[in-house]
Amino acid sequence: MEKIMLELWDLHKIYSVEKSGVKYEALKGVDFQAKEGDFIAIMGESGSGKTTTLNIIASLDTPTSGEVVIGGVDVSKMNNKEICKFRRENLGFVFQDFNLLNYFTVKDNIAFPLVLLNKSKKEIDEKVNELAEQTGITKLLDKYPYEISGGEKQRTAVARALVCDPQLVLADEPTGALDSKNSDQLMELFQTFNEKGQTIIMVTHSIKSASKAKKVLFLKDGMIGNTLDKADRNDDEFEEEIANFLYNSGK
């Protein structure tokens, strides 16, 4: 039986504007599950709640109500100290703008999460070299982020996200700052790691990027409206299905 990796139960998120007191309900009861080894893309128009949902899963934001369960652990009931520890040990992040430390080398950027976990130098070096080879950036390890391309920065970010063997990798518009060639290469990397068992949740506006996932969730007005399963379709067929769905739903 496949293990449930992520569960969201009746998530609501209300933001209040301090000066006016106006309240905005970003999420209105989001429910979904992800199994171990899933690759799920979340799509929706700006303001639909995509990033809010991802930030809550990442424990970077807290729901107004509802539950977030990751690997059987109810993260929504943790205090700040517990959340920080859980995040370091169990979650990996890939951001649109890379979020690399410019005064660290590529190697040090990848290694940083392991340093925070007090791993030995031998273990850090072995893991960094392994992931650098898998992501094709071995020759860049001694360079700094300002010396490498956008695609190379994002490969570095992917290696950093995976260095702690996280239960879950979260990606927020990971191809948003990349050209089409580097976007394709990045999504092929995601597919490769997913085929090895890595669970990935990705927010994207890109139909082509979403077609690399196994399932697409569509958020609208703070709720999940529809889902599409890739099933036995290839990437091109799934891309066409997603495009047709978005075209017809926009009529």
Side-chain angles (χ1 to χ4, degrees):
M1 182 179 294
E2 292 177 303
K3 177 183 175 183
I4 300 297
M5 178 58 67
L6 171 69
E7 300 169 90
L8 303 185
W9 298 111
D10 197 25
L11 280 192
H12 289 257
K13 181 63 182 182
I14 300 173
Y15 294 102
S16 296
V17 180
E18 289 185 11
K19 292 184 179 179
S20 65
V22 173
K23 294 184 176 181
Y24 167 66
E25 191 171 12
L27 300 182
K28 303 174 182 177
V30 170
D31 294 284
F32 79 83
Q33 295 182 338
K35 295 176 182 177
E36 189 173 53
D38 263 345
F39 183 3
I40 297 176
I42 302 175
M43 302 190 76
E45 297 178 355
S46 295
S48 62
K50 303 185 306 297
T51 298
T52 299
T53 299
L54 196 73
N55 285 343
I56 288 175
I57 296 171
S59 68
L60 299 173
D61 199 355
T62 55
T64 303
S65 62
E67 295 182 355
V68 180
V69 181
I70 300 174
V73 177
D74 190 344
V75 182
S76 50
K77 288 186 169 61
M78 291 181 175
N79 60 39
N80 286 338
K81 185 177 180 180
E82 291 170 335
I83 285 174
C84 288
K85 183 175 185 294
F86 183 86
R87 189 189 298 134
R88 285 196 302 267
E89 294 177 351
N90 297 281
L91 303 179
F93 304 91
V94 181
F95 301 96
Q96 178 177 341
D97 57 359
F98 321 126
N99 276 21
L100 300 177
L101 299 170
N102 277 323
Y103 47 87
F104 277 19
T105 63
V106 166
K107 179 179 180 178
D108 290 340
N109 267 284
I110 298 170
F112 190 54
L114 292 176
V115 173
L116 293 177
L117 294 175
N118 296 314
K119 299 297 184 180
S120 68
K121 183 180 185 304
K122 181 176 182 293
E123 185 175 352
I124 290 173
D125 287 344
E126 287 177 354
K127 193 64 180 178
V128 169
N129 290 334
E130 175 190 339
L131 278 165
E133 183 177 352
Q134 290 175 349
T135 53
I137 56 173
T138 299
K139 294 181 179 180
L140 306 175
L141 287 177
D142 293 327
K143 292 185 177 292
Y144 289 85
Y146 55 81
E147 297 179 302
I148 63 179
S149 70
E152 290 165 343
K153 288 177 183 177
Q154 199 59 299
R155 285 173 173 266
T156 301
V158 170
R160 180 186 60 188
L162 292 164
V163 77
C164 292
D165 295 319
Q167 293 192 66
L168 189 61
V169 166
L170 304 170
D172 189 6
E173 299 286 359
T175 61
L178 303 179
D179 59 26
S180 59
K181 179 181 178 180
N182 281 304
S183 294
D184 290 345
Q185 290 175 346
L186 178 67
M187 295 314 302
E188 287 171 6
L189 260 185
F190 274 19
Q191 284 186 311
T192 297
F193 284 112
N194 176 246
E195 286 167 3
K196 294 178 181 178
Q198 180 64 61
T199 309
I200 303 171
I201 307 292
M202 173 182 70
V203 163
T204 184
H205 279 101
S206 167
I207 294 172
K208 189 166 189 178
S209 294
S211 72
K212 308 297 183 181
K214 293 177 178 175
K215 179 187 293 185
V216 180
L217 305 181
F218 296 94
L219 274 176
K220 185 175 183 179
D221 300 327
M223 296 179 287
I224 294 177
N226 295 86
T227 65
L228 292 179
D229 285 300
K230 191 173 196 174
D232 56 354
R233 286 180 284 277
N234 62 34
D235 292 349
D236 291 338
E237 291 168 339
F238 198 36
E239 182 179 353
E240 184 176 358
E241 182 179 0
I242 296 167
N244 288 336
F245 173 83
L246 289 172
Y247 174 76
N248 290 323
S249 63
K251 286 184 176 181

